[in-house]
Amino acid sequence: MTFKFKWEWLPQLVRGLGLSLEVTAICVLIGIALGLLLAFGRLYGRRWLSWPCRIYIEFFRATPLLVQLLMVYYGFPSWGISLSPFVSGILAFGLNTAAYQAEYFRGAIQAVRPGQTLAARSLGMTLPQTVRYVILPQAVRLVIPPWSNELILMLKYSSILYMVTLPDIMGEAKKLAAKHFNSFDVYVVVALFYLALVLVVTLGLRAVEKRLHIPGLGAPGEHR
Amino acid sequence: MTELLRVEGIHKRYGKEEVLRGVSFRMERGETKVIIGPSGTGKSTLLRCINLLTFPDQGQVFLEGHEVTHHKANINHLRASMGFVFQDFNLFAHLTALSNVSIGLLKVKGMRKEQGRARALAELERVGLADKANAFPAQLSGGQQQRVSIARALAMDPKLILFDEPTSALDPELIGEVLSVMIELAKEGMTMLAVTHEMGFARSVADSIIFMESGVIAEEGTPQALFTSPKHPRTGQFLRKITELYGEMGG
Amino acid sequence: MLLRAFLINLEVLVALLGVGLVAGTLIAILQVYAGRLIGYLAFLFEWVFRAIPALILLLLFYFGPPRFGFDISPFLAATLALGFRSAAYQSQIFRGAIQAIPTGQMLAARSVGMSRARAVVTIILPQAFRLSIPGWSNEFSGVTKDTTLAYAVGLNEVLRAARVVMDRQYNLAMLAYLTVALLFLALTYAGNWGLGLLEKKTRIPGLEMKGIGGENR
C-alpha cells in the first residue's frame, strides 16, 4: 500500500495548472463584464431588456455547467460552428459565471440603501453621477464576499475542462495516470494542488477585503 | 419681491390613496416655517414634492419665480440650490464626514479639490464637528450624523433648506444638539421649511406654522395664533396631545 | 431514452442526498455539542471535502478502492463522493440552524429532566430542520447539477446517453444536450417548488432564519 509518487510528475502538472488558471482568469473577466451588463439590464432596463436577462440568468443557473460545456463543444459543431477546446471552455464557463455574477451584482446594488440615492439626487447629482460616486463604491464592497466565493468555485470547476480534451492540470493528470497505470496517486497529488490553490486564493481575497473595508459598510450577516 | 418659495395646488396619489389633496402656501426669504400634523398626512411627501424627489400629480412649485415642476426645468440645478435634511440622515456610508460635505461641491458645483475641502471643513466647524472630519458615518452618533448632513446641505449655499423630521430618529439626549444648530441657522436668516414634532422648536423659532391633516392645510398662522387660539378644532386637539407627549422645550 | 438515463441521475441524487443528510446532521451535532477535538476533526473533514473540486473527489473515490484491492461501481463511487461532499455543506447549514436556536431551548429541555441526547433529538433537531429548509434547497439545486459529473467515471447517466445519441446522429448533438439542460431545469424548478411547499407546511410563526448560499454548478 505504498504511495507511488514521482517528483517528475510535478513540472507537467504545474504546466497544466497554468492553463487552468489562464482559462479561469479569462472567463472570470468575461463574467464580470457580462455579469454587470446583465445586472444593469435586469435592474434598470425596460421589459424588453430585463426579461431576456432574467431568462438567461435563470437558464445558466439552473442547468449543470458540464452540460453547458458539452453543449458548446459538441453542440455547436453540429450546427456548423466548430470551436477549439480552449475557446469552448472559455465560452461555456464565461457564460455560466456571468449569470451567477449578475445575481451577486444585482444583490449588492440593491443592498445599497435607497436613502443614499435620495441624498445624492437631492444634492443635485445626476443619475450617472449617483451611480458612479455613491452606488458603485458601496456595491463593490458589498459584493466582495459572494464574488470571492464565485472565483474559488470557478477555480474548482475548471477541473472539468479536461473532458473537452483541454490539457489543463486534469488533462495532464490523466495522461500521467495512463502512462503509469496509476490513477489514484496522481489524482491525490492533483487534489493537494487544488487544496493549496484554494488556500492561497482565499487568503489573498481576505486581504483584499480587509484593505477595502469601511467601518459600517458590510454585507448583512454572512461570510462563508 | 422677497418671496422665495411658492407651492400651488399640490396633489399626490399613491395607488388608491390621495395623500396630498391640494396644498398651497408661500414662503418669504429668511422665513422659518414649520409643518406639524398627525403621521401619515403627507407632510414628508409634500417636502419631497418641493425638490422633486417625488413628482406631484398636479400642482406647481416655484423657487424664486422659476418653476421647479416645469418639464424643461433643470432639476439637478434646482436641487443643488435647495438643501434637504433626511430623517435617516442618509450620509454616504463609504465617505468620511469631510468627503460627505465636500462631494456636492466637487462633483455638482465643480469646485477644485482644495477649495472644496476647505469649505467643507468650514461647514463642519460651523456645526461643531471639525474634529470628526475623518470619521466614517458608522463611527458617529445619530446626532453627529445629522449635524454632518446639515453641514452637507449648507455647503451648497442653498436658498432654502427642507428638513424632514430631522430629530425623529434620534435618541432623546441627542436631539438637543441638532436643534441648537437649526436654531442658529434660523437666527442667521436661513430660509427653512421643517416638518417636525418638536413643539418647543416650533413655538420659539418658527415665523409661521402649518397644521396639516388629511392631505390639506387645515390651518396656518403664527405660533402664538395656533397655540393660544387655534381656529380649527383639530389643531387644538393635536397640539394638546403632542405637547403632552413630547413635553415643552424652553424657548 | 434520455429520460431513462435521467432516472439514474435521480437515483444518484436521492442516494447522495440521503448520505449527505445523515452524515451532515451527525457532523453538525458533533461540531456543536461534542468536545473540542472532535469539533476540530469535523472542521477538517468539512474543509477537505469542500476545498477539493467535486470532480476530483469523484475520481478519488472511484480509483481509490481498486488501488487498495476493492472494487467499486461508478454508482457507489458517485454516491459516496458526492454524498460526503454534500454532508460537508449540509453540516454547515445544520450547524448554523442549530446555533440560531435560542440557548433557552436546551436549558428548558434539561430542566425538565431530559438527557442531552434526548433534548437534541426531540427539541433541537425539529426546529433546526425547519430553519434549514431554505439553505437546504440551495444545496439541493446545486447537487442535482453535480450528478452529471458521474459521467466522468462512466456511470450510465444522462450525459452518457446524450453522447450515444450524438455518436449515432451527429446533427442531433445540440438538441440532445439542450434536452438534457431542460430536464435539469425542470428538476430544479420542481425541487424548489416542492421544498417551498415543505417550508410552508412546516412553518412555525416566529421561527425563521436567513438562508445560507450553496456552492454547486
Side-chain angles (χ1 to χ4, degrees):
Chain A
M1 226 161 76
T2 47
F3 192 57
K4 299 195 203 109
F5 167 65
K6 290 196 168 58
W7 288 101
E8 61 215 31
W9 292 348
L10 285 182
Q12 209 174 339
L13 289 176
V14 170
R15 234 185 310 136
L17 185 62
L19 190 60
S20 302
L21 290 175
E22 205 186 316
V23 173
T24 310
I26 297 180
C27 57
V28 163
L29 289 175
I30 295 180
I32 296 179
L34 185 56
L36 273 175
L37 285 175
L38 286 167
F40 283 139
R42 176 117 193 251
L43 277 174
Y44 302 125
R46 298 265 174 83
R47 206 171 289 185
W48 56 265
L49 182 59
S50 67
W51 263 100
C53 288
R54 209 165 161 207
I55 294 179
Y56 175 99
I57 294 174
E58 292 286 320
F59 178 79
F60 275 93
R61 277 169 40 118
T63 54
L65 177 53
L66 184 52
V67 174
Q68 293 162 13
L69 182 61
L70 295 177
M71 263 206 286
V72 172
Y73 187 65
Y74 289 122
F76 278 9
S78 72
W79 278 354
I81 321 169
S82 190
L83 296 167
S84 75
F86 187 70
V87 174
S88 308
I90 294 184
L91 187 60
F93 271 60
L95 292 175
N96 180 285
T97 183
Y100 283 87
Q101 290 195 43
E103 284 297 276
Y104 296 144
F105 291 145
R106 182 172 71 99
I109 292 177
Q110 288 181 318
V112 175
R113 292 179 359 247
Q116 303 283 295
T117 309
L118 285 177
R121 297 315 302 273
S122 66
L123 278 179
M125 282 196 205
T126 62
L127 190 54
Q129 279 181 322
T130 307
V131 169
R132 186 170 160 206
Y133 297 116
V134 175
I135 297 186
L136 278 184
Q138 296 189 36
V140 162
R141 285 168 177 89
L142 289 173
V143 90
I144 291 181
W147 193 89
S148 312
N149 225 6
E150 180 66 15
L151 180 60
I152 294 182
L153 227 62
M154 277 288 116
L155 276 171
K156 294 197 292 178
Y157 269 95
S158 66
S159 50
I160 71 175
L161 286 169
Y162 81 104
M163 293 211 222
V164 294
T165 73
L166 195 74
D168 69 329
I169 190 174
M170 285 298 298
E172 299 292 346
K174 217 171 176 210
K175 287 188 218 161
L176 282 172
K179 183 167 163 197
H180 296 274
F181 299 103
N182 189 346
S183 300
F184 184 70
D185 298 4
V186 176
Y187 290 136
V188 168
V189 176
V190 174
L192 290 173
F193 262 97
Y194 272 102
L195 276 177
L197 185 64
V198 168
L199 193 61
V200 166
V201 173
T202 306
L203 290 176
L205 286 169
R206 218 170 270 181
V208 169
E209 187 177 4
K210 257 210 185 114
R211 201 126 193 298
L212 289 180
H213 180 66
I214 285 182
L217 193 64
E222 39 112 303
H223 200 350
R224 268 208 144 168
Chain B
M1 170 174 81
T2 52
E3 175 190 281
L4 189 67
L5 180 71
R6 181 150 49 103
V7 173
E8 277 181 11
I10 300 287
H11 288 259
K12 179 70 187 174
R13 156 171 288 147
Y14 282 117
K16 286 211 173 131
E17 201 187 329
E18 195 170 14
V19 173
L20 293 173
R21 299 170 196 224
V23 175
S24 309
F25 64 90
R26 295 171 55 235
M27 278 184 74
E28 306 270 311
R29 188 165 313 213
E31 182 180 348
T32 299
K33 203 193 254 324
V34 172
I35 304 181
I36 62 177
S39 294
T41 53
K43 310 194 299 283
S44 290
T45 314
L46 177 62
L47 279 187
R48 286 172 194 214
C49 284
I50 294 178
N51 77 341
L52 288 190
L53 285 179
T54 303
F55 283 87
D57 298 323
Q58 268 182 56
Q60 295 164 307
V61 176
F62 295 89
L63 185 67
E64 281 190 330
H66 300 289
E67 187 183 347
V68 173
T69 40
H70 190 76
H71 63 271
K72 284 219 179 113
N74 185 340
I75 300 186
N76 297 314
H77 190 70
L78 287 163
R79 282 190 185 137
S81 46
M82 291 193 257
F84 201 107
V85 175
F86 297 88
Q87 184 176 348
D88 293 328
F89 335 133
N90 286 335
L91 287 182
F92 300 128
H94 61 300
L95 299 176
T96 60
L98 188 65
S99 299
N100 256 282
V101 179
S102 65
I103 192 169
L105 296 172
L106 298 176
K107 304 298 177 189
V108 179
K109 292 211 157 163
M111 255 193 210
R112 271 171 25 245
K113 228 178 173 189
E114 282 317 305
Q115 253 189 310
R117 297 194 80 225
R119 176 68 196 275
L121 201 53
E123 293 299 342
L124 279 178
E125 192 147 350
R126 194 169 165 187
V127 299
L129 286 172
D131 58 328
K132 296 281 183 188
N134 291 322
F136 286 99
Q139 299 168 318
L140 300 172
S141 75
Q144 292 169 327
Q145 288 186 53
Q146 194 62 300
R147 285 191 277 154
V148 173
S149 94
I150 295 179
R152 180 173 63 178
L154 286 172
M156 303 291 283
D157 282 322
K159 303 193 169 100
L160 151 80
I161 301 189
L162 305 164
F163 291 86
D164 187 358
E165 300 208 33
T167 56
S168 298
L170 293 175
D171 289 333
E173 66 267 18
L174 299 172
I175 295 182
E177 66 195 62
V178 174
L179 285 182
S180 313
V181 172
M182 287 171 69
I183 294 174
E184 266 308 302
L185 286 179
K187 284 201 189 130
E188 288 169 9
M190 175 62 73
T191 315
M192 295 162 56
L193 179 61
V195 170
T196 184
H197 294 299
E198 292 295 322
M199 290 302 135
F201 175 81
R203 197 163 184 168
S204 57
V205 175
D207 296 311
S208 76
I209 299 183
I210 288 179
F211 174 66
M212 269 186 75
E213 202 196 11
S214 312
V216 288
I217 295 183
E219 191 167 344
E220 181 172 357
T222 64
Q224 282 150 314
L226 253 72
F227 276 87
T228 49
S229 38
K231 296 194 203 108
H232 205 268
R234 286 283 295 144
T235 316
Q237 262 177 20
F238 177 77
L239 286 175
R240 269 193 297 279
K241 244 195 265 174
I242 208 113
T243 334
E244 277 167 24
L245 206 55
Y246 284 86
E248 293 252 22
M249 238 185 73
Chain C
M1 179 179 67
L2 284 176
L3 274 173
R4 239 181 302 133
F6 191 59
L7 282 174
I8 309 268
N9 286 77
L10 287 174
E11 274 179 47
V12 173
L13 180 64
V14 171
L16 78 87
L17 280 176
V19 170
L21 193 63
V22 171
T25 315
L26 208 61
I27 295 173
I29 294 179
L30 283 178
Q31 273 197 300
V32 176
Y33 294 113
R36 205 162 250 190
L37 179 63
I38 300 193
Y40 192 64
L41 287 174
F43 174 72
L44 214 59
F45 170 89
E46 245 187 69
W47 189 69
V48 165
F49 273 85
R50 279 166 20 119
I52 301 180
L55 175 66
I56 298 191
L57 272 177
L58 202 61
L59 294 171
L60 286 176
F61 267 77
Y62 184 65
F63 289 111
R67 178 90 166 62
F68 300 110
F70 299 100
D71 251 339
I72 187 169
S73 74
F75 184 87
L76 192 58
T79 307
L80 289 178
L82 295 175
F84 284 129
R85 185 163 186 268
S86 182
Y89 285 99
Q90 288 192 43
S91 76
Q92 260 225 344
I93 296 174
F94 294 142
R95 184 158 52 96
I98 293 177
Q99 290 176 326
I101 296 175
T103 46
Q105 299 287 304
M106 179 58 108
L107 289 174
R110 298 306 301 280
S111 60
V112 176
M114 286 193 201
S115 70
R116 220 161 175 220
R118 198 136 257 157
V120 167
V121 170
T122 52
I123 304 291
I124 303 286
L125 282 184
Q127 295 188 39
F129 282 137
R130 280 179 183 77
L131 289 176
S132 307
I133 295 182
W136 203 88
S137 1
N138 240 331
E139 173 66 9
F140 172 84
S141 42
V143 153
T144 57
K145 293 179 278 178
D146 276 346
T147 58
T148 52
L149 294 175
Y151 176 50
V153 293
L155 185 66
N156 226 328
E157 48 81 69
V158 73
L159 280 181
R160 188 125 185 277
R163 184 73 203 260
V164 169
V165 167
M166 184 179 90
D167 286 338
R168 285 197 208 147
Q169 276 195 272
Y170 195 57
N171 57 339
L172 282 184
M174 187 53 134
L175 196 60
Y177 284 118
L178 211 59
T179 316
V180 174
L182 291 174
L183 281 172
F184 275 98
L185 242 165
L187 178 59
T188 306
Y189 280 140
N192 281 337
W193 175 80
L195 284 167
L197 226 79
L198 180 65
E199 185 183 8
K200 280 204 183 105
K201 284 260 166 88
T202 59
R203 184 176 294 175
I204 296 175
L207 194 64
E208 272 160 11
M209 186 180 83
K210 272 211 189 108
I212 302 180
E215 292 197 1
N216 311 82
R217 288 294 138 113

